[in-house]
Amino acid sequence: GQQLNQSPQSMFIQEGEDVSMNCTSSSIFNTWLWYKQDPGEGPVLLIALYKAGELTSNGRLTAQFGITRKDSFLNISASIPSDVGIYFCAGQLSGAGSYQLTFGKGTKLSVIP
Amino acid sequence: NAGVTQTPKFQVLKTGQSMTLQCAQDMNHEYMSWYRQDPGMGLRLIHYSVGAGITDQGEVPNGYNVSRSTTEDFPLRLLSAAPSQTSVYFCASSYSEGGVYEQYFGPGTRLTVT
C-alpha cells in the first residue's frame, strides 16, 4: 500500500520561531490534507490542498502541494504555546472507489515559552 | 451541528468480551470510516462505508465488524476483544462532492482490553 514519510518525528522550538514539516510519498496523490491533534482529542483539519503547486494559508499556517504530487509541506510562522500538538499529513487518491486517506505518523510539536 | 459524535469516551474490556463503539454524524455525509491510533503508528483504517448499506475493509479489519443501516450511524463491533485491540478509536465522516473528501473526526474512544 501507499506509504507516507513524515518528518521530523518531533520538534522542540522556542515561542516565536517558525516551524516547517513535510511529508513525502511513494505514490502520487490528488489531495493533501493537514491535521492537528491536541492531547485527548480527535484530529482537526487545518488545510486541504487539491492542485499540484498549490500554496494555501490559514492564519499563521501555510501548506504547499508539491509539484511532483508526491510531497507536501506545512509551515507555521511565529509559533505560540497553543501550537503544541501532533500534526499529521494525509494523502488521498480521488475518483471512484478512492475514498481512503493514508496518514503520516505525525510530527509532535513542543513550544517552549 | 454536533458534527461527529462517539460513545463511549472510555471503555475497559476483558479479553473475549464483545462490545459496540458508536459513531454518529449529523452532516449528511456519505462517507464514514473507522481508524485506530496506536503510539508511533499514526492512524490506520479499519473499515469504511461510502453510503448506507455499503461497507468495505481497510488496512486492519481483522477482529472488527461494521454495518451502515442509516446515513447517520456507523457502529464498530469488536467480536471477541483481545489485548492487541487496546487503542484509541476514531470515527470520521466526509462529504464527496466534486472530488473533495475532507474528513472530519470525532473525539475518539479510548479502549483498554485486559
Side-chain angles (χ1 to χ4, degrees):
Chain A
Q2 295 112 10
Q3 297 287 330
L4 281 186
N5 296 311
Q6 187 170 352
S7 64
Q9 286 187 336
S10 62
M11 306 179 72
F12 288 84
I13 62 169
Q14 293 280 11
E15 182 176 357
E17 288 185 346
D18 295 344
V19 173
S20 183
M21 60 191 78
N22 71 85
C23 274
T24 58
S25 168
S26 57
S27 301
I28 291 174
F29 288 112
N30 287 347
T31 301
W32 281 96
L33 306 172
W34 284 91
Y35 288 86
K36 183 194 177 197
Q37 185 177 27
D38 291 326
E41 303 292 330
V44 173
L45 183 63
L46 297 173
I47 292 179
L49 302 159
Y50 302 107
K51 294 183 191 176
E54 180 181 356
L55 186 70
T56 297
S57 293
N58 178 6
R60 294 179 295 105
L61 277 60
T62 301
Q64 184 162 24
F65 193 141
I67 290 291
T68 65
R69 294 166 64 194
K70 290 185 176 183
D71 59 358
S72 180
F73 303 87
L74 175 70
N75 295 320
I76 305 173
S77 63
S79 59
I80 59 178
S82 62
D83 290 334
V84 165
I86 303 177
Y87 293 79
F88 291 98
C89 62
Q92 191 166 35
L93 293 169
S94 297
S98 297
Y99 300 89
Q100 299 182 30
L101 281 178
T102 300
F103 280 85
K105 294 184 178 180
T107 295
K108 185 175 182 179
L109 178 63
S110 300
V111 178
I112 304 167
Chain B
N1 285 351
V4 180
T5 58
Q6 292 184 240
T7 56
K9 194 163 178 66
F10 300 94
Q11 182 71 48
V12 178
L13 290 178
K14 294 187 187 301
T15 297
Q17 287 184 318
S18 63
M19 78 159 293
T20 299
L21 279 62
Q22 301 292 342
C23 174
Q25 53 92 9
D26 61 358
M27 298 174 282
N28 202 32
H29 285 170
E30 297 173 1
Y31 180 80
M32 296 185 74
S33 55
W34 277 101
Y35 295 87
R36 60 177 289 172
Q37 185 176 35
D38 303 295
M41 299 293 290
L43 288 150
R44 293 184 292 169
L45 183 65
I46 304 171
H47 285 284
Y48 65 96
S49 168
V50 300
I54 306 169
T55 64
D56 208 344
Q57 296 180 352
E59 180 185 356
V60 288
N62 292 340
Y64 308 94
N65 273 357
V66 292
S67 60
R68 184 97 179 268
S69 56
T70 67
T71 299
E72 294 79 18
D73 300 300
F74 190 43
L76 177 73
R77 296 183 189 85
L78 279 69
L79 308 172
S80 177
S84 61
Q85 293 178 305
T86 294
S87 188
V88 183
Y89 292 85
F90 290 101
C91 179
S93 74
S94 71
Y95 54 85
S96 56
E97 296 175 11
V100 173
Y101 301 102
E102 297 173 5
Q103 292 193 22
Y104 296 89
F105 285 80
T109 293
R110 284 139 190 87
L111 176 68
T112 301
V113 182
T114 61

